[in-house]
């Protein structure tokens, strides 16, 4: 057996070699005491941020709620059926009304309005209200045939009260009425006769009631012509001027301006219900005919 010294002296022997084949160097052995670093662990105490939570005390904004005191508006498809919206129709009506005015009695025209009149039986009809220097003219005009059918003249110094408020009917009435109205009284010292109150076509009633016309808002012109509040303010101012210039003997000067509900004493109301639902008091295109 050769000793280590003999191997060292043998020619060609490399001291780094051994009798057995050398294994490849596996590198440094891993430290069993250290686990691999997987990165920062998530904090179990923090939940993911989903953004600001909605406030349960705030409801979504859906626009202003409708005013229960206002009558519902008609869609544009139904508004086009009104003959008054035809170009030049309202202007032609004013020309015919001016031709019927008496300058000595009425004076100059101050303003004109498109309104609906509600009679004592709750039947509404299309009217033009003209305020002059000394009169209130309530005119019924046929916008289809372009003809003035009737015109009532009420002296402004005879008007003794203007009442503005919500229209009310008896609880068990078949007829219905929504919105605000303006009632004009011109002879509070005279009671309406019993036969006139029960006659739906009687004109011997010392008051009348106005509401806004359905075409309000259809165009810019009719938005201003159908404003009941502005009509009421201008009528009240004209009445006060007329009472100051030409007071009626035996009556208190000026008119009362009141804000309270306006009663309509219609206890059955079947006729007005059918008339108002079908807009029989307006000049409308009704299929192949119009009236």
């Amino acid at each position: 057996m050769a000793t280590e010294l003999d191997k060292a002296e043998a020619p060609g022997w490399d001291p780094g070699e051994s009798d057995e084949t050398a294994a490849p160097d596996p590198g440094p052995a891993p430290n069993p005491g250290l686990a691999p670093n997987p990165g920062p662990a998530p904090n179990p105490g923090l939940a993911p941020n989903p953004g600001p939570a909605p406030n349960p005390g705030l409801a979504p904004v859906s626009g202003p709620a409708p005013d229960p005191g206002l009558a519902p508006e008609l869609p544009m498809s139904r508004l086009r059926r009104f003959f008054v919206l035809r170009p030049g129709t309202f202007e032609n009506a004013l020309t015919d009304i001016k031709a019927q005015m008496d300058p000595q009695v009425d004076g100059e025209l101050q303003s004109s309005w498109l309104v609906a009149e509600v009679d004592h039986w709750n039947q509404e009809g299309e009217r033009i209200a003209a305020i002059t220097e000394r009169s209130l003219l309530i005119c019924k005009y046929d916008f289809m045939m372009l003809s003035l059918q009737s015109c009532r003249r009420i002296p402004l110094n005879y008007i003794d009260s203007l009442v503005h408020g919500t229209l009310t009917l008896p609880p068990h009435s078949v007829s219905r009425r929504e919105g605000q109205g303006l009632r004009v009284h011109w002879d509070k010292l005279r009671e309406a006769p019993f036969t006139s109150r029960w006659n739906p076509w009687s004109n011997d009633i010392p008051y009348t009631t106005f509401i806004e016309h359905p075409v309000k808002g259809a165009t810019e012109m009719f938005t201003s012509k159908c404003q009941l509040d502005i009509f009421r303010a201008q009528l009240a101012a004209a009445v006060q001027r007329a009472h100051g210039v030409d007071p009626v003997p035996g009556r208190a000067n000026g008119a009362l301006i009141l804000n309270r509900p306006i009663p309509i004493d219609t206890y059955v109301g079947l006729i007005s219900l059918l008339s108002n639902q079908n807009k029989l008091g307006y000049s409308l295109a009704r299929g192949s005919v119009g009236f």
Side-chain angles (χ1 to χ4, degrees):
M1 178 180 293
T3 63
E4 291 294 328
L5 181 61
D6 294 336
K7 292 181 180 179
E9 293 177 353
W13 179 80
D14 188 355
E17 295 181 356
S18 63
D19 291 343
E20 299 179 356
T21 304
D25 187 6
N31 190 346
L34 296 178
N37 186 6
N43 189 345
L46 296 178
N49 186 8
N55 189 346
L58 297 178
V61 178
S62 59
D67 188 348
L70 299 179
E73 297 182 357
L74 295 177
M76 185 58 65
S77 59
R78 295 187 61 186
L79 288 178
R80 294 192 185 99
R81 298 166 53 194
F82 288 86
F83 282 101
V84 69
L85 294 179
R86 308 295 167 90
T89 305
F90 187 78
E91 291 78 4
N92 188 84
L94 289 182
T95 302
D96 293 346
I97 292 172
K98 290 177 183 178
Q100 299 296 322
M101 290 173 53
D102 186 347
Q104 301 299 324
V105 177
D106 303 316
E108 295 293 328
L109 179 65
Q110 302 297 311
S111 60
S112 58
W113 307 87
L114 181 65
V115 296
E117 184 181 25
V118 180
D119 64 13
H120 57 293
W121 273 54
N122 194 35
Q123 298 181 93
E124 62 184 70
E126 201 168 33
R127 300 290 184 268
I128 294 178
I131 302 175
T132 70
E133 290 179 313
R134 293 183 286 274
S135 303
L136 171 64
L137 303 178
I138 305 173
C139 304
K140 182 180 180 181
Y141 193 84
D142 187 343
F143 290 102
M144 184 182 68
M145 302 302 296
L146 301 179
S147 62
L148 181 63
Q149 296 183 335
S150 64
C151 194
R152 283 187 293 163
R153 177 181 287 107
I154 303 171
L156 293 178
N157 58 348
Y158 272 71
I159 296 177
D160 44 49
S161 63
L162 299 174
V163 182
H164 177 259
T166 304
L167 300 172
T168 61
L169 287 96
H172 302 292
S173 176
V174 177
S175 185
R176 293 291 179 266
R177 174 64 60 189
E178 295 179 353
Q180 304 284 322
L182 172 65
R183 176 162 290 178
V184 181
H185 294 262
W186 57 81
D187 196 355
K188 65 181 179 181
L189 300 180
R190 180 177 65 89
E191 286 288 338
F194 176 81
T195 55
S196 298
R197 292 199 306 268
W198 286 95
N199 181 4
W201 298 280
S202 175
N203 289 324
D204 192 22
I205 304 294
Y207 64 84
T208 190
T209 307
F210 297 107
I211 61 173
E212 289 183 338
H213 196 284
V215 301
K216 177 188 175 183
T219 64
E220 184 176 353
M221 184 191 81
F222 286 103
T223 299
S224 61
K225 287 292 183 182
C226 301
Q227 289 282 355
L228 191 65
D229 289 338
I230 303 179
F231 168 63
R232 172 172 56 95
Q234 293 197 11
L235 179 59
V239 168
Q240 300 294 359
R241 286 195 301 267
H243 277 278
V245 173
D246 187 16
V248 178
R251 298 193 181 196
N253 293 333
L256 297 176
I257 311 298
L258 305 175
N259 190 349
R260 65 186 184 192
I262 301 174
I264 300 178
D265 297 328
T266 303
Y267 292 93
V268 179
L270 184 59
I271 296 177
S272 63
L273 178 65
L274 296 176
S275 176
N276 296 337
Q277 283 187 346
N278 294 282
K279 302 292 183 189
L280 297 182
Y282 299 86
S283 296
L284 280 175
R286 307 175 193 274
S288 58
V289 296
F291 58 89

